[in-house]
Amino acid sequence: MKIKIKAYAKINLMLDIVSKRQDGYHDLFMIMQSVGIYDAVILNENKSKAVTIKCSAPGVPCDSSNIAHKAAIRFYKELGEEPAGLEIELIKKIPHAAGLAGGSADGAAVLKGLNFLHNDCFTESELCKIGSKIGADLPFCIRGGTLLAQGIGDVLSKIKRVPACSIVLAMPDFSVNTAHAYAQFDKCGKTHTPNCLDMLCAMQSGDLHEICPRLENVFEQFIEVPGRIEIKEKLRRAGALGVCMSGSGPTIYGIFDNKDKAAAAAESLKTICKDVFLTKPVRLGCKICAVEDE
């Protein structure tokens, strides 16, 4: 059987690093939002007794280091079975190393897809626990929508959904290594702590005009992204209610209450950014959208 899953990107409406843990990970406070840009992940179980990956994007590893591959191996291990054989095809739209959780989204899609193929043998909570053994963003990418994420990203709580809006994602021709970004925090620390409680209250108000001025990402205090100031200024001048960097960067996003203004902003950024997307919030992390018997 072959299935196709949409694996949605995410942005961080709030990201604070609370502290470094003794195990080397970091305790986080994040408000995360799924957005409508997605990778298509196609799973085809076969009798090869191997897990293989092919990908449409150059530079993405197609070996055991790929999160999608790790997710498949972990799923079968938790199931207590050897893989009969699985081909994973990744049709990438989410830019690589962009702070949008593209790799984690693909891994989450593999877990959800395999769970579907195996008659939903794990609950969503169990899938999230499996995902947390692979990467901190996988539990969110499995559930998606609008969530508060704490711990290393594996403790998820429901909060009020972001109101309808348009979102412009702008990625300069630059990438950020996540491990390096956290090492910079360990080295430099932060100059101030974001007001997380204030942001939670704004989220519960359901008012974009309360939420958007409070967007904040602690990584912006010690990760320098070329062109970030210019991108933010263009978004603000175009009418963005709030602008911020997502994850460890480098993608900058702007939130608009007017789609025409958002579209104009996206068009203006294409001359200075590698990738620009006009999108919106979505309520899922990934979605099975096609099933084909073979």
Side-chain angles (χ1 to χ4, degrees):
M1 181 179 289
K2 179 188 287 189
I3 63 170
K4 180 179 178 180
I5 309 107
K6 292 181 178 179
Y8 291 103
K10 65 83 187 169
I11 58 173
N12 299 89
L13 304 178
M14 170 68 74
L15 195 164
D16 185 27
I17 304 173
V18 178
S19 63
K20 185 175 182 180
R21 296 155 46 122
Q22 289 187 345
D23 61 8
Y25 289 95
H26 296 78
D27 280 315
L28 306 170
F29 182 103
M30 302 184 290
I31 297 175
M32 304 173 80
Q33 175 63 53
S34 301
V35 295
I37 302 302
Y38 62 87
D39 290 344
V41 179
I42 300 170
L43 305 182
N44 187 11
E45 284 198 310
N46 51 52
K47 297 181 180 180
S48 67
K49 297 186 178 180
V51 175
T52 60
I53 293 182
K54 58 181 180 179
C55 181
S56 65
V60 175
C62 291
D63 55 20
S64 60
S65 67
N66 190 294
I67 295 177
H69 189 283
K70 292 179 181 179
I73 296 299
R74 173 59 66 173
F75 180 89
Y76 289 116
K77 182 178 180 179
E78 297 288 336
L79 194 62
E81 296 181 2
E82 292 293 325
L86 179 70
E87 180 187 75
I88 303 171
E89 182 178 0
L90 306 176
I91 302 172
K92 297 289 291 181
K93 291 184 180 178
I94 305 171
H96 181 57
L100 300 173
S104 294
D106 295 345
V110 168
L111 290 178
K112 289 204 78 167
L114 285 175
N115 201 45
F116 175 84
L117 289 173
H118 289 263
N119 301 311
D120 293 325
C121 53
F122 297 112
T123 66
E124 185 176 76
S125 294
E126 289 169 336
L127 275 188
C128 287
K129 288 180 181 178
I130 294 169
S132 68
K133 297 175 183 179
I134 305 161
D137 282 341
L138 264 79
F140 171 79
C141 291
I142 289 168
R143 291 181 59 183
T146 312
L147 294 172
L148 168 64
Q150 294 173 280
I152 63 169
D154 57 334
V155 181
L156 301 175
S157 304
K158 287 184 178 181
I159 54 176
K160 195 167 185 176
R161 288 199 302 265
V162 168
C165 59
S166 294
I167 301 171
V168 176
L169 308 176
M171 181 183 172
D173 191 6
F174 182 78
S175 61
V176 176
N177 179 277
T178 301
H180 171 73
Y182 278 101
Q184 286 296 105
F185 168 79
D186 295 339
K187 177 182 176 181
C188 305
K190 53 186 177 181
T191 55
H192 77 274
T193 297
N195 192 331
C196 299
L197 179 59
D198 201 32
M199 182 57 157
L200 272 179
C201 292
M203 292 296 300
Q204 292 306 104
S205 76
D207 185 345
L208 279 178
H209 293 269
E210 293 292 324
I211 295 167
C212 288
R214 294 170 172 83
L215 302 174
E216 190 165 358
N217 183 342
V218 74
F219 279 115
E220 293 198 58
Q221 297 178 28
F222 45 85
I223 297 296
E224 188 53 50
V225 173
R228 177 177 60 185
I229 293 173
E230 183 182 1
I231 293 168
K232 284 189 166 187
E233 186 57 31
K234 276 182 172 287
L235 287 166
R236 289 191 184 100
R237 285 203 305 264
L241 301 179
V243 297
C244 195
M245 186 171 79
S246 184
S248 56
T251 300
I252 308 297
Y253 67 86
I255 297 179
F256 294 76
D257 61 359
N258 182 292
K259 187 175 181 179
D260 290 338
K261 289 182 179 179
E267 193 62 33
S268 73
L269 286 166
K270 289 179 180 178
T271 58
I272 62 170
C273 290
K274 178 183 177 184
D275 292 293
V276 181
F277 302 96
L278 175 60
T279 186
K280 62 182 180 180
V282 296
R283 298 183 184 183
L284 297 171
C286 41
K287 178 183 179 182
I288 295 171
C289 56
V291 179
E292 179 182 333
D293 286 315
E294 294 191 336

